[in-house]
Amino acid sequence: MNDGDMNDWIRVGTRSDFLPGEYKVVWDGDTPIAVYNIDGALYAIEDTCTHDGGDLAGGEVFGFEVECPRHGARFDVRTGAVTKPPAYEPIASFPVREDDGAIWTRDDR
């Protein structure tokens, strides 16, 4: 990644900062982004449940689904799609890049 390109990206940390099954939340402006390591692959989603606005990070992860700890809605971390109500609107998913061991994401909407 060249220096000019890095300005739009938010540094999450390094690969060693979180093991498979772990997550980290970073902010891109006023957008909370949760980055999950699932079986070694990295996925980034908006950390806000579309049902009631609660945080998703900290909710239980089932395969590629994260469950909202408040009311049990589930979202696919790969796409942001709803997989279980009471939420019906998807959440945003974001790109993740790895460069020289550093992990980056951004709100690219």
Side-chain angles (χ1 to χ4, degrees):
M1 176 177 344
N2 66 47
D3 288 337
D5 200 19
M6 290 173 64
N7 294 335
D8 295 346
W9 293 78
I10 305 300
R11 190 174 191 277
V12 177
T14 64
R15 172 70 73 165
S16 62
D17 287 338
F18 49 109
L19 300 172
E22 295 183 332
Y23 67 89
K24 187 172 181 182
V25 177
V26 295
W27 291 80
D28 188 348
D30 59 357
T31 303
I33 301 175
V35 179
Y36 290 85
N37 181 337
I38 298 180
D39 296 331
L42 300 170
Y43 304 95
I45 56 170
E46 187 168 6
D47 186 33
T48 306
C49 180
T50 56
H51 170 243
D52 71 355
D55 296 343
L56 293 171
E60 205 167 338
V61 175
F62 301 91
F64 291 102
E65 297 176 355
V66 61
E67 183 175 84
C68 180
R70 294 173 51 115
H71 298 111
R74 287 190 190 180
F75 300 87
D76 188 319
V77 298
R78 297 169 294 184
T79 64
V82 175
T83 59
K84 182 181 171 202
Y88 293 98
E89 294 292 321
I91 55 175
S93 63
F94 304 115
V96 178
R97 289 172 70 169
E98 189 167 1
D99 185 56
D100 252 354
I103 309 298
W104 304 82
T105 191
R106 69 177 176 179
D107 183 347
D108 62 348
R109 292 178 287 182

